[in-house]
Amino acid sequence: MLTKAPRGTKDLFGDEMNAWLEMEKIIRDLCKDFGYGEIRTPVFEHTELFQRGVGETTDIVQKEMYTFQDKKGRSITLKPEGTAGAVRAYLEQKLYAGIQPTRLYYITPAFRYEKPQAGRMRQFHQFGIELLGSDSPTADAEVITVAYELLKRVGISKVKLHINSLGGPECRKKYNEKLKEYLKDNLDHLCETCRDRFERNPLRILDCKTESCKKIVSDAPTVLDVLGDECRAHFEKVKALLDEMGIPYIIDPGIVRGLDYYTKTVFEFISTDIGAQGTICGGGRYNNLVEELGGQPTPAVGFAVGLERLLLVIEAENGKKTYPVTKDIFIGSIGDAALLKAHSLIYQLRQAGVTAEGDHFNKSVKAQMKYADKIGAKYSMIIGDDEINNGKAILKNMETKEEREVHLDELVTTMKSIL
Ligand code: HAM
């Protein structure tokens, strides 16, 4: 146990960490281009936030949250997703008082107690954006373009955008009745959780992962059948915007999302390359959440991308990337005085942005040069007593084997000019 990380978690390091950093850099540049500012909210929040926000009848709240009592007996939950915390902060920090709409993004760990498998972790990471303050279909389309552009920038092309509309409260009421009518004869065949959902939130049954429930709902009526005029017009506008922007999509009434806060547009980006957990991005409009959490009625729309899944898709399409180790210079030494000089030069070089390394193991010159090769040093230099006395040493180009004499007090400028 001591040397084993908990199930469903992962250490990130080496080349995989480099791939993450590259992905995160693309995300940050993307958010800058689209005008989204970063927000960091706590990893844990009061449990009620998620019960209210994500919804009491969702799998997340009913089965998957990491909830515990702190030392004062308060119920605390590790965030299972990023939206509820971002909306809580939007209200607490009065972001609604600033220029509207509010555009936020986050890269955050999230926690769900699910059965781990490829692309499904207990601690995973989300990149998400939230656009708060506008009910315009242009906001829905903008949010979708951010996700679409991300996929383009990370170099993946085979992921498909599925869109649907869940309508507003009125359409939902109508739909719930229609769905209940459809399900009522099969009530006994639903799982226990869904039997409870039948009264409280029948739409959730469509998202149940139990095989028997899945079978029963496979021919259920869809929300699209009962959309009211306003919601239908909104959905048509979103589609027209996507058409105009050249973003292909599939209308998929099966997209109902696993969280309760959605209204109107919902969407997922789905890959068929990484197995069962192919949804790499999910989101939609959530016009009632801000009010549900105590704010003024405020329309909003957003999405989250699972970064583990995104990386799986990148690797499935483009292969695993390797990041060769390289250093600008290795400075070896012979003797105590040279060791001091070498390490002082290394520090000077590093301050100037030149990647430099030296010996930390008291190795022989031969072994030091072997190490210089291993770390991919472009240049090397060995300093001994003579070099210190003359103030000069030989700088060797490790690739061409070319050598030149360099004044030690000019090493930084020399390196800056030749790199
Ligand atoms: P979600 O669909 O629950 O939506 O999660 C978003 C993405 O997080 C999923 O598409 C998936 O890629 C990733 N994900 C979820 N669970 C796991 C897991 N156990 N392991 C690995 N990846 C996972 C939300 O969380 C909403 N907050 C999205 C949103 C933002 N809607 C509006 N704004």
Side-chain angles (χ1 to χ4, degrees):
M1 288 294 269
L2 207 56
T3 53
K4 194 147 179 38
R7 196 161 131 77
T9 69
K10 193 168 176 174
D11 300 313
L12 290 175
F13 59 95
D15 271 358
E16 192 176 5
M17 188 71 238
N18 285 324
W20 274 77
L21 291 175
E22 199 175 307
M23 193 164 67
E24 288 176 16
K25 163 107 180 43
I26 293 171
I27 289 171
R28 289 181 198 288
D29 289 346
L30 173 86
C31 288
K32 190 165 158 279
D33 293 346
F34 281 78
Y36 287 72
E38 183 169 2
I39 184 162
R40 296 192 190 184
T41 63
V43 159
F44 58 85
E45 299 270 1
H46 296 296
T47 302
E48 305 92 275
L49 177 69
F50 302 115
Q51 287 170 335
R52 277 282 196 101
V54 174
E56 293 277 10
T57 54
T58 60
D59 270 356
I60 296 179
V61 169
Q62 292 193 330
K63 302 177 187 165
E64 297 168 1
M65 294 206 302
Y66 278 88
T67 297
F68 58 95
Q69 293 212 329
D70 72 5
K71 290 193 191 302
K72 283 266 170 70
R74 303 176 194 97
S75 184
I76 295 292
T77 295
L78 301 185
K79 57 163 94 162
E81 56 100 54
T83 308
V87 171
R88 197 260 316 127
Y90 168 84
L91 291 172
E92 187 171 348
Q93 309 309 331
K94 303 189 173 48
L95 302 183
Y96 48 79
I99 301 170
Q100 296 305 308
T102 300
R103 289 188 177 85
L104 303 172
Y105 85 91
Y106 46 82
I107 297 176
T108 180
F111 305 85
R112 295 184 193 176
Y113 193 84
E114 293 189 88
K115 199 161 174 224
Q117 64 181 83
R120 192 159 75 192
M121 312 278 297
R122 289 182 174 168
Q123 173 171 344
F124 59 101
H125 297 78
Q126 285 187 339
F127 153 55
I129 72 167
E130 313 295 350
L131 186 157
L132 298 115
S134 168
D135 188 35
S136 167
T138 51
D140 307 43
E142 173 180 308
V143 162
I144 292 173
T145 61
V146 177
Y148 186 74
E149 181 66 15
L150 171 65
L151 303 185
K152 261 191 8 206
R153 291 194 188 184
V154 297
I156 59 188
S157 58
K158 290 199 254 162
V159 170
K160 299 259 186 309
L161 167 62
H162 294 236
I163 62 171
N164 187 23
S165 175
L166 296 181
E170 281 307 311
C171 322
R172 194 74 67 80
K173 220 162 111 194
K174 243 200 247 159
Y175 179 65
N176 283 349
E177 275 159 28
K178 207 165 170 182
L179 186 60
K180 276 166 82 174
E181 183 60 33
Y182 170 83
L183 289 171
K184 73 176 189 324
D185 296 335
N186 276 311
L187 213 50
D188 291 346
H189 300 106
L190 292 175
C191 74
E192 206 185 314
T193 318
C194 284
R195 259 177 270 148
D196 173 54
R197 287 166 170 163
F198 181 81
E199 284 306 332
R200 295 173 68 192
N201 190 358
L203 183 77
R204 275 277 69 80
I205 300 172
L206 300 187
D207 192 43
C208 183
K209 288 154 198 145
T210 312
E211 278 310 318
S212 53
C213 298
K214 273 193 193 165
K215 219 156 131 196
I216 293 169
V217 299
S218 60
D219 286 326
T222 72
V223 191
L224 285 183
D225 301 335
V226 299
L227 276 191
D229 291 346
E230 201 261 326
C231 292
R232 186 170 301 281
H234 185 101
F235 193 47
E236 291 304 319
K237 240 335 182 344
V238 173
K239 288 191 288 181
L241 282 154
L242 295 177
D243 289 338
E244 185 74 21
M245 290 167 174
I247 297 180
Y249 56 84
I250 298 162
I251 297 166
D252 182 350
I255 303 291
V256 291
R257 311 284 298 125
L259 305 91
D260 276 350
Y261 45 62
Y262 292 106
T263 54
K264 295 186 179 171
T265 317
V266 285
F267 61 90
E268 291 184 355
F269 283 85
I270 302 177
S271 163
T272 47
D273 280 344
I274 57 167
Q277 305 303 317
T279 303
I280 60 174
C281 170
R285 180 164 278 291
Y286 52 95
N287 283 354
N288 301 325
L289 180 60
V290 177
E291 193 179 5
E292 183 70 31
L293 297 179
Q296 294 298 316
T298 308
V301 54
F303 69 72
V305 171
L307 292 181
E308 283 78 4
R309 291 186 195 176
L310 180 63
L311 193 60
L312 284 176
V313 178
I314 294 173
E315 288 175 353
E317 281 205 29
N318 305 322
K320 256 199 176 85
K321 207 162 156 184
T322 53
Y323 297 80
V325 185
T326 62
K327 287 279 162 6
D328 295 328
I329 181 169
F330 173 84
I331 306 183
S333 55
I334 313 165
D336 288 346
L339 187 74
L340 298 188
K341 185 68 187 170
H343 282 276
S344 156
L345 284 169
I346 288 164
Y347 178 43
Q348 282 177 33
L349 287 160
R350 287 173 172 171
Q351 283 175 293
V354 178
T355 56
E357 272 209 39
D359 175 44
H360 281 309
F361 296 102
N362 238 330
K363 283 183 180 152
S364 68
V365 171
K366 199 172 153 203
Q368 289 188 49
M369 290 311 291
K370 246 192 175 160
Y371 178 75
D373 257 339
K374 251 194 209 161
I375 61 170
K378 294 181 198 135
Y379 292 86
S380 71
M381 173 180 272
I382 300 285
I383 301 174
D385 291 341
D386 285 350
E387 283 75 12
I388 295 181
N389 292 337
N390 299 333
K392 293 181 203 161
I394 300 296
L395 180 69
K396 181 173 168 185
N397 182 319
M398 297 287 279
E399 202 187 311
T400 62
K401 310 291 176 214
E402 205 179 302
E403 298 187 342
R404 67 158 97 177
E405 198 174 63
V406 178
H407 282 276
L408 294 183
D409 50 12
E410 286 167 8
L411 181 59
V412 172
T413 32
T414 308
M415 286 306 294
K416 295 281 281 185
S417 69
I418 60 178
L419 282 171

